[in-house]
Amino acid sequence: MNYKDLLDITKKHGSPLYVYDSEKIRSQYDRLTAAFSNVKNVKINYAVKALSNISILKLVNSFGAGLDTVSIQEVKLGLLAGVHPSDIIFTPNGVSLDEIEEVSAMGVQINIDNLSILEQFGAKHPEVPVCIRINPHVMAGGNTNISVGHIDSKFGISIHQIPHILRIVENTNMNINGIHMHTGSDILDVEVFLYASEILFDTAK
């Protein structure tokens, strides 16, 4: 997409105007999938909070990408865009049990990020697959505002509380089908990802 194209589009549709380059989005998606070409069963999920334009959601869905959502509204947008519920992950923070139950009833994969909700949901719906979001206590990210994996972060259950997680899972006999982790944004040090990955794998074991 060149400068003249943008000017022509603006003349036709007026301004202000947002223009998205689908070819660039596709090339970035292809770069990601190529980077994991040797890994079986990889699923790339697009973070809806980055841009919730329904045309963009339809576009990434056409590539085969799933969606990562943080609110029930984002889940509904994804479904409206034609994304299959099984291709949507719901990763909220600090929402009520009612909202998690509502999203779960839609057939969407849910992540639970605190012990209280985990125990309540497990007691009521032990048969529903649940992914657990952990806090790895890794300080990383472009700045403190986008570092979300450190010890004081509100995101995820502390890895020091793994025994509590195991107790809840054992007591409720709930169905755990995944582990989720987010360390931060704008991380440029590959060693951070390697270190955090080891924590993730150890937790999965």
Side-chain angles (χ1 to χ4, degrees):
M1 185 178 295
N2 58 45
Y3 183 67
K4 184 179 182 302
D5 290 335
L6 293 174
L7 286 177
D8 290 342
I9 292 171
T10 304
K11 288 176 182 177
K12 180 177 180 180
H13 297 284
S15 65
L17 181 70
Y18 289 91
V19 180
Y20 304 104
D21 189 340
S22 61
E23 291 184 4
K24 183 64 176 178
I25 296 172
R26 177 72 208 217
S27 69
Q28 293 296 82
Y29 175 80
D30 289 342
R31 284 183 66 192
L32 279 172
T33 53
F36 292 95
S37 59
N38 292 329
V39 182
K40 293 181 179 179
N41 303 321
V42 168
K43 181 77 171 182
I44 303 294
N45 291 312
Y46 171 76
V48 177
K49 64 182 176 182
L51 176 62
S52 58
N53 183 300
I54 195 166
S55 295
I56 298 297
L57 302 186
K58 290 178 179 179
L59 179 68
V60 296
N61 182 47
S62 72
F63 300 159
L67 299 181
D68 181 79
T69 62
V70 298
S71 70
I72 193 169
Q73 290 79 14
E74 289 184 357
V75 171
K76 290 178 178 178
L77 270 176
L79 296 173
L80 191 62
V83 181
H84 194 274
S86 63
D87 289 327
I88 300 176
I89 296 177
F90 180 53
T91 310
N93 178 247
V95 302
S96 68
L97 176 64
D98 289 343
E99 184 167 325
I100 290 179
E101 288 180 317
E102 185 176 349
V103 172
S104 174
M106 298 175 186
V108 170
Q109 170 71 57
I110 58 172
N111 286 332
I112 294 181
D113 72 343
N114 73 78
L115 291 171
S116 175
I117 294 294
L118 183 70
E119 188 164 30
Q120 293 177 63
F121 190 88
K124 292 183 67 177
H125 312 282
E127 75 290 349
V128 177
V130 168
C131 187
I132 295 176
R133 184 179 196 179
I134 63 167
N135 181 334
H137 299 302
V138 174
M139 189 67 176
N143 59 62
T144 55
N145 293 324
I146 54 176
S147 177
V148 297
H150 55 81
I151 193 167
D152 294 319
S153 173
K154 66 178 180 177
F155 298 102
I157 302 171
S158 168
I159 53 172
H160 299 314
Q161 293 180 308
I162 297 299
H164 298 296
I165 295 175
L166 295 175
R167 175 185 57 81
I168 290 171
V169 172
E170 183 178 357
N171 289 345
T172 62
N173 198 31
M174 64 189 303
N175 182 1
I176 304 301
N177 70 339
I179 303 291
H180 180 276
M181 177 181 68
H182 180 36
T183 52
S185 302
D186 197 23
I187 299 173
L188 304 178
D189 183 1
V190 69
E191 293 299 323
V192 169
F193 289 111
L194 294 174
Y195 175 65
S197 294
E198 288 297 328
I199 294 174
L200 192 67
F201 293 141
D202 286 343
T203 303
K205 290 177 185 177

